[in-house]
Every structure is written in structure tokens, then in C-alpha cells.
Amino acid sequence: MTLHELLERAREGTGLVISERDVERTLAALCTSGDLWHVIDYSDVPVMALCRLLEAMRAEGIITWDTARIQFSPQGRTLCEQLSIRPVRQLACPTCRGRGLDLRALGRAGEAFAELAASRPSALQEFDQGYVTEESTMYRVALMWARGDLEGKDVLVLGDDDLVSVAAALTGAPRRVTALDVDPRILGFIEDAARQHDLPIETVEHDLRRPLPPELVGHYDAFACDPTESLHGFLSFVQRGLVGLRGPGGAGYLGLTRREASLAKWREIQKALIAQGSVITDIIHGFHDYPNWPYIRTMTAWEHLPVKQEPDPASCWYRSDLIRIELLEASAREQSLLEGDIFNDAEAATT
Amino acid sequence: MTLHELLERAREGTGLVISERDVERTLAALCTSGDLWHVIDYSDVPVMALCRLLEAMRAEGIITWDTARIQFSPQGRTLCEQLSIRPVRQLACPTCRGRGLDLRALGRAGEAFAELAASRPSALQEFDQGYVTEESTMYRVALMWARGDLEGKDVLVLGDDDLVSVAAALTGAPRRVTALDVDPRILGFIEDAARQHDLPIETVEHDLRRPLPPELVGHYDAFACDPTESLHGFLSFVQRGLVGLRGPGGAGYLGLTRREASLAKWREIQKALIAQGSVITDIIHGFHDYPNWPYIRTMTAWEHLPVKQEPDPASCWYRSDLIRIELLEASAREQSLLEGDIFNDAEAATT
């Protein structure tokens, strides 16, 4: 049994991109833990591809599972030995957990944000919501500050269930923050927070499938966005952000996950970002942690999971990376209207 | 006086790419420190462009300098006020200093490496040498480990004045490490270390302007390289690394600095990396610190520096970022021979 045969079997009849390295990463994650959610996290293989790989490995007698855990068979252990597969090493800095940043400089903004966010609206599957931890949001704001994209700047937040606008404004650094969202609950929450703390935030109810409202075009120094993961959806959301920028020198902060995007899709995204006039200045792995969201049993991937057990609420399995881009060349200001289902492709796991 | 006028003046008659954002970053760095070396570090503007910008700012009466420090004139302070320029915020994590990684897991390898490296050969201008701190090298090895590119793997190091081969092998993780260098002093040092500690390292004397020796092509899982910063030189060195890989799934670890490469050059590099079949998975800012090297007064930039004072030996001003790429598509195995001066272009500051 070679890695290639395993991936051919897993890929059969699906539209999924799976690489030999994905098979290797899956085996390494299985050497590290028998808990499905840890395997997802350690492997960094898109969830839908991982489910297929696990199925193929079971069919080949490499692994078995019961209602709680996944185990290697003796044959599977021999395979790992032959391929010199080793357990995954978790080497994240214990202080910043891999972000490389210091939150202390943000002072009391962090505490104020955690207090506010405790009463935030819950995540809705309808809008592909699922917010990151408060800590992740504060780290994102810290990165914007460190890169010179926050203090004295006008910031545009495209889709704000993470409440980036509130966290950013609480630092007192930005000149102005505009938060766009389709969900009136989120906007209402942000407006209340802004009133309560006297923050320079304005809110706009807007569906990002539609072009950026003309009065927002070309007025911002930086934007933040967690686009949906389909290739077309991702790039369209980014394009909305780019047209919001004043021009070259503006920056974008994008969340992109490995859980629902293969590296092949990452590469297409990077190619497009560069073609749109940007350079990528930072890619920080595992920057955003997601607490478990309420609709986990109805997400697309659930029926494909080998072990139907909800994740331990204290542990994190869904993460996304942070990508910072800086615009070097004026970008095209034409914006397309997105129609139909922009959330789903073969890699979509949580919609 | 606008940012645009300043950059037009600075750019005049040079082949340098300078952006308005570079002018802004320079002003922000000057708001933070009057020490030239700190300004270089905080601004992240290529040194040669920064020298021109400082000259233009002095000509416009925005700054003055004496033999020790740079100061804003009252007019300069007003300009910063008008443009809402704010000091640079240093928000690096105090534990990992921005790398996001934990060195403790490397155990005694770090101490053993520091001990060995204490007697390393000094950096030579002739070969564009200038090694990173021992800590930076250990962090690079930690990242390779965390990404699954070290343990049980065959690693190729292209140009090894940083002694990555020794640090990697001291962890006991890699199966085999091959170090290529043009400098017999470096190779001799690595061979001695390998004998002394019984490390699985082989050395090859090789000038990277020449194609990778055929017996090394297609034999490695990962490579590490700090290419020279000219665009053609950078991409050719990377190409040597890519042809050394077994194929898709292999990874490359590249050092790239902002000190001698504009973001416009970064973008060209990224475009080429992606075109060569790679995806970029990590870009970690300020990953490598360089201690001051012995030939600072003869480096290209010296005569352009406004303040001719050597940097404080305890502080660091030259840093480079770490880029990890992963190969997704088989790359072309044709390699060009590089002739003439591959080290210098308009942005070269330290050769």
C-alpha cells in the first residue's frame, strides 16, 4: 500500500484535491492522537478530504474505529514504520500560542472587549457564521497595530461576527471603523457597544454578495475580512475590500483556513491576490481559534465523520491562518454581483 | 509637501522602487527613534531607498541630522501631525520575539549548538555572507520540525554560513542532512562538528551559481536557503532547492529581507514561486536576527548613510523574514548557469 494508492482510493468519485503529503499528514496526526478532532487539527488536511482518507484507510485495514476513537491496526503501524511517519510536534510558543505578538500593549482594551463579547449574538449557520475567540480577535487587532494599519487609520470590516470593529475601536487607535454585516443582530450589538463606550464606529447593513456601496469605495486605509472559503466567494469578498482602500499602501487582513481549503486552493487564491496588485507580507499559521459553534451536528461534514462524537468544548479543532496583504498597484474597481450559493464547494465542511 | 512629492524627489535618477507607504513608514520610524539603525529597523523600508528618502527629507527641511542622531524640524513635526503619522508599535511576543514557536522542545540541542557556533568562521563579504543569530537558526529548525519537514526527513541546506545543517542534525530528528557551500572554511567547520557529535551530515563544496550536482537532484524532502536578494539570483537559488526535492509535498524554507528587497520585488518573487508550482504556507516577519558583521564600513550602503556611526553591537537592525513554500506540482528540472554579478542590484545594501 503506497501513499499514492491510498489517495487514489480516497479521491475516487469526488471533486476533492488530495495530495500524497495530505495522506502523510493524516498518518502523522493519527500517530499523535486517536481523537478525531485532534486528528483534524494536527493534520491540517481539509476536513472533507480527511474523512475520505480515513474511510479509505479503514477499507485497506490500516485503521479501525469505534464510537469514540480511531486506532491503527498492526498493518497500519507497520506502514507508518516503513514510511518513517512521526508524530506531529506542537511547538507553538506558550505565551502567544503561535501569533508572535504581545497583547499586553493593548492595555485594558482586551478586558473591556472580553466583557462586551460575553453577551454577543450566537453564530448562525444561515450566514456561514462562526466567530473566533476573543483572544484571536485581539491578536488580529494587535497585528494591525504593529504593521501600522490601525493607529490614526480608517478601517473597514467586511462581515463582523468576530466584532473586530469593536476590539479595534476599544484600543482608541483608529480614526474611524466601519462595520458591514448582513445580520441586523450583529449590527445592533456593535451599535450598542459603540454607544456604551463612545467608539468611532459606523455600521452598514450589507450583503457582501453585492458590490460595496459606492459611498464606501476608496475611503479606507485597511480592511479586515474572513471570506467564505469557496474560491470565487473568497476572491470576491477580497475584491470588495480592495475597492474600499484609498489605493496603493492600503492593507488587507484575511482569515483563511486549511480545514475547508486545500493548499491547491490556497495557491489559486495567492495567484489571484498577486494578480490583483497585492503582495503578501504575512501568513501566520493557526492565528484564529474558533470555539465550537452551536450547529456542529448539522454542518455538511458531520455525516462524513467516522466518529460521531461532539468535540470536547475545552479544546479547539477549527483554526484559520491570518494573511496580510498590501496593495502595491491600483486595483480594478469593477465589482461583480455574486449569485446563487457562494458558500459551498467540494471542500466546504461547516456550512 | 506631500508624500508623493517626497518620494518623487527621492526616486529621481535612481533605479529604486519607492512607494508613498515607504515615505509614511520612514516618517513613523523617525517619530519613534532618532537612531539611524533603529529607523532602518522600524521602517522596514529598503536601506538604499531609506537613505534617499532621508536625503530628500533633509533637502525639504523636514529633518536635520548631526554626527549622532536624526531629528525632525518644527516643519517636519507639523507634517507628521497633518498626515496623522504615529510612532511604530513594537508588539513582538516577549517570549518568542515574534516567531510564534517554543524552543524548549528542542531540548539540549540549542545549548550544544550555541557552544559549537561560538567558534564558527567569521562572515566574508566576498561570498555575501552574514549569518543569523544562533537563536534564529534554532527557531528555523523548530519551524521545520513543527511543519513535519525535519523528523525522519532528508534535508538539503543551500549555502550554510548559518549552520542550519548542524542545528538540524543536533536535534536528532532528520535522517540525513546535506550542506552545500562555496566556502571551504564553513564546510570544514561543519565536518568537524559532525565528527565530534556523530551527526548524519554530508558536505559538498559547490558554488550555487552553478546547477545543483546531478547526484543531489530529486533526493530531498525539504531544503533551506537564504538566497541573495537580486531577483534573478533569488529565484535561481530557490530553483536549485526545488530541483533537489523528491517532488510535490516537498518544502522550502527561504530567508527574505525587507532591508534589501522592496515589496515590489517581494511580489515578483511570490509570483515566480507560485508559477514554479509552489504555494506559500508561512511568512513570519522578523524571524531572523543578524548580529552585526565585520565588514559594515565597506558595505555598499555605508557611503549613503546620513549618520556614519556603527550600530550599537547589542541591538539588531538587520532582520529577514522566513517564507515556507510547499511544492504542489512537479517543477521543471532545467537549471540555468548564473554568470557575472548576481549579488548586486539597485537595492543591494550590504554586498
Side-chain angles (χ1 to χ4, degrees):
Chain A
M1 175 67 26
T2 66
L3 297 181
H4 190 73
E5 285 161 2
L6 270 171
L7 87 87
E8 283 296 316
R9 179 159 191 153
R11 190 152 64 184
E12 209 182 322
T14 71
L16 295 167
V17 181
I18 311 179
S19 68
E20 289 187 30
R21 186 79 197 250
D22 287 333
V23 187
E24 191 191 323
R25 280 194 262 258
T26 302
L27 290 170
L30 288 166
C31 286
T32 321
S33 175
D35 179 300
L36 172 68
W37 303 99
H38 288 161
V39 171
I40 293 174
D41 188 24
Y42 294 158
S43 72
D44 263 333
V45 172
V47 178
M48 295 300 276
L50 182 74
C51 289
R52 296 285 307 194
L53 279 170
L54 294 175
E55 192 56 58
M57 286 177 189
R58 183 169 73 159
E60 295 293 338
I62 292 166
I63 56 173
T64 61
W65 60 71
D66 55 27
T67 54
R69 296 183 75 75
I70 309 171
Q71 285 104 24
F72 275 115
S73 66
Q75 186 198 333
R77 271 190 288 273
T78 308
L79 180 74
C80 291
E81 200 57 48
Q82 281 166 353
L83 298 170
S84 61
I85 304 286
R86 304 294 155 78
V88 177
R89 301 280 293 207
Q90 296 278 300
L91 297 179
C93 169
T95 306
C96 64
R97 304 211 191 173
R99 284 84 166 209
L101 294 156
D102 185 5
L103 283 191
R104 289 172 312 176
L106 270 53
R108 290 193 41 77
E111 291 159 48
F113 181 61
E115 238 167 74
L116 271 171
S119 57
R120 71 203 301 170
S122 67
L124 287 187
Q125 189 167 16
E126 175 191 357
F127 299 126
D128 191 26
Q129 289 173 349
Y131 49 76
V132 307
T133 60
E134 282 92 52
E135 193 184 59
S136 302
T137 296
M138 291 308 297
Y139 272 114
R140 179 145 41 160
V141 169
L143 184 68
M144 296 177 76
W145 207 339
R147 293 289 177 274
D149 295 319
L150 192 71
E151 200 164 5
K153 302 288 187 175
D154 297 331
V155 176
L156 177 64
V157 184
L158 299 172
D160 200 18
D161 56 330
D162 290 336
L163 307 175
V164 172
S165 61
V166 177
L170 279 169
T171 64
R175 184 161 53 194
R176 182 172 58 117
V177 186
T178 304
L180 262 69
D181 208 282
V182 68
D183 181 355
R185 298 176 313 145
I186 304 269
L187 297 173
F189 183 86
I190 293 171
E191 285 155 19
D192 287 346
R195 249 192 313 272
Q196 190 184 333
H197 289 265
D198 194 22
L199 305 174
I201 305 179
E202 60 187 32
T203 58
V204 180
E205 185 172 333
H206 184 76
D207 183 338
L208 282 169
R209 282 174 292 196
R210 308 184 69 83
L212 199 69
E215 63 275 19
L216 302 183
V217 170
H219 280 83
Y220 296 88
D221 301 299
F223 74 92
C225 187
D226 279 328
T228 185
E229 288 84 9
S230 75
L231 182 62
H232 184 52
F234 190 98
L235 294 174
S236 300
F237 281 25
V238 172
Q239 174 68 358
R240 311 279 188 252
L242 290 174
V243 302
L245 296 177
R246 292 212 160 81
Y253 291 77
L254 313 170
L256 179 56
T257 184
R258 302 276 285 269
R259 304 285 171 273
E260 301 187 76
S262 60
L263 288 178
K265 193 195 277 175
W266 272 59
R267 181 166 170 243
E268 289 307 311
I269 286 171
Q270 292 176 349
K271 196 188 287 181
L273 292 174
I274 292 165
Q276 283 171 334
S278 306
V279 63
I280 306 168
T281 65
D282 300 82
I283 303 180
I284 309 180
H285 189 71
F287 196 94
H288 309 103
D289 298 337
Y290 289 71
N292 295 308
W293 51 83
Y295 58 84
I296 198 149
R297 283 178 175 269
T298 58
M299 69 179 190
T300 312
W302 183 263
E303 60 172 309
H304 300 276
L305 298 179
V307 177
K308 300 274 192 295
Q309 190 172 255
E310 292 201 18
D312 172 1
S315 81
C316 173
W317 65 276
Y318 197 99
R319 299 179 207 273
S320 70
D321 299 5
L322 184 61
I323 300 179
R324 178 182 182 272
I325 58 174
E326 192 169 313
L327 194 61
L328 298 184
E329 287 176 9
S331 73
R333 294 231 157 132
E334 283 155 47
Q335 301 182 74
S336 58
L337 176 67
L338 294 174
E339 294 190 79
D341 180 1
I342 58 157
F343 299 124
N344 284 297
D345 64 8
E347 293 176 349
T350 64
T351 46
Chain B
M1 175 67 27
T2 65
L3 296 181
H4 190 74
E5 285 161 3
L6 271 171
L7 87 88
E8 283 295 317
R9 177 156 192 155
R11 190 152 62 182
E12 209 182 322
T14 70
L16 294 168
V17 181
I18 310 180
S19 68
E20 288 186 33
R21 185 79 197 248
D22 287 334
V23 187
E24 190 191 323
R25 278 193 263 258
T26 302
L27 291 170
L30 288 164
C31 286
T32 322
S33 175
D35 179 300
L36 172 68
W37 302 100
H38 288 161
V39 172
I40 293 174
D41 188 24
Y42 294 156
S43 70
D44 264 333
V45 172
V47 178
M48 297 300 277
L50 182 73
C51 289
R52 295 285 308 195
L53 279 170
L54 293 174
E55 192 57 58
M57 287 176 187
R58 183 168 74 161
E60 296 293 339
I62 292 167
I63 56 173
T64 61
W65 59 71
D66 55 27
T67 53
R69 296 184 74 78
I70 309 171
Q71 284 104 23
F72 275 115
S73 67
Q75 186 197 333
R77 270 188 290 272
T78 308
L79 180 74
C80 290
E81 200 58 46
Q82 281 165 353
L83 298 170
S84 63
I85 304 283
R86 304 295 154 78
V88 177
R89 301 279 296 208
Q90 296 279 300
L91 297 180
C93 169
T95 306
C96 65
R97 303 206 192 176
R99 282 86 165 209
L101 294 157
D102 185 6
L103 282 191
R104 289 174 311 175
L106 271 53
R108 290 191 43 75
E111 291 158 47
F113 181 62
E115 238 167 71
L116 268 172
S119 57
R120 70 202 300 168
S122 66
L124 287 186
Q125 190 166 16
E126 175 190 358
F127 299 126
D128 191 27
Q129 289 172 348
Y131 50 76
V132 306
T133 60
E134 282 93 50
E135 194 183 59
S136 302
T137 296
M138 290 308 297
Y139 272 114
R140 179 143 44 158
V141 168
L143 185 68
M144 296 176 76
W145 207 339
R147 293 289 177 272
D149 296 318
L150 192 71
E151 201 165 5
K153 301 287 187 175
D154 297 330
V155 176
L156 177 64
V157 184
L158 298 172
D160 200 17
D161 55 331
D162 290 337
L163 308 176
V164 172
S165 61
V166 177
L170 279 169
T171 63
R175 184 161 53 193
R176 182 171 58 117
V177 186
T178 304
L180 262 70
D181 209 282
V182 67
D183 181 354
R185 297 176 314 143
I186 303 270
L187 297 173
F189 183 85
I190 293 171
E191 286 155 19
D192 287 347
R195 249 192 312 272
Q196 193 184 330
H197 289 265
D198 194 21
L199 305 174
I201 305 178
E202 58 187 33
T203 58
V204 180
E205 186 171 334
H206 183 76
D207 184 336
L208 282 169
R209 282 175 291 198
R210 310 184 68 83
L212 198 69
E215 63 275 19
L216 302 183
V217 170
H219 280 83
Y220 295 89
D221 302 299
F223 74 92
C225 186
D226 278 329
T228 185
E229 287 83 11
S230 73
L231 182 62
H232 184 52
F234 190 97
L235 294 174
S236 299
F237 281 25
V238 171
Q239 174 68 355
R240 310 279 189 251
L242 291 174
V243 303
L245 295 177
R246 293 211 160 82
Y253 290 77
L254 313 170
L256 179 57
T257 184
R258 302 275 286 267
R259 305 286 170 273
E260 301 185 76
S262 60
L263 287 178
K265 193 195 277 176
W266 272 58
R267 180 167 171 244
E268 289 305 311
I269 287 171
Q270 292 176 350
K271 196 187 289 182
L273 292 175
I274 291 164
Q276 284 171 333
S278 306
V279 62
I280 306 169
T281 65
D282 300 81
I283 303 181
I284 308 179
H285 189 71
F287 195 95
H288 309 102
D289 298 336
Y290 288 71
N292 294 308
W293 51 81
Y295 58 83
I296 199 150
R297 281 177 177 271
T298 57
M299 69 180 191
T300 312
W302 183 263
E303 63 172 305
H304 301 275
L305 298 178
V307 177
K308 300 276 193 292
Q309 189 173 258
E310 293 200 18
D312 173 1
S315 80
C316 172
W317 66 275
Y318 197 99
R319 298 180 209 271
S320 69
D321 298 4
L322 183 60
I323 300 178
R324 178 182 182 273
I325 56 174
E326 192 169 314
L327 195 59
L328 298 184
E329 288 176 6
S331 73
R333 294 230 156 131
E334 283 155 45
Q335 301 183 73
S336 59
L337 176 67
L338 294 175
E339 294 188 81
D341 180 0
I342 58 157
F343 299 123
N344 284 296
D345 64 9
E347 294 176 349
T350 63
T351 48

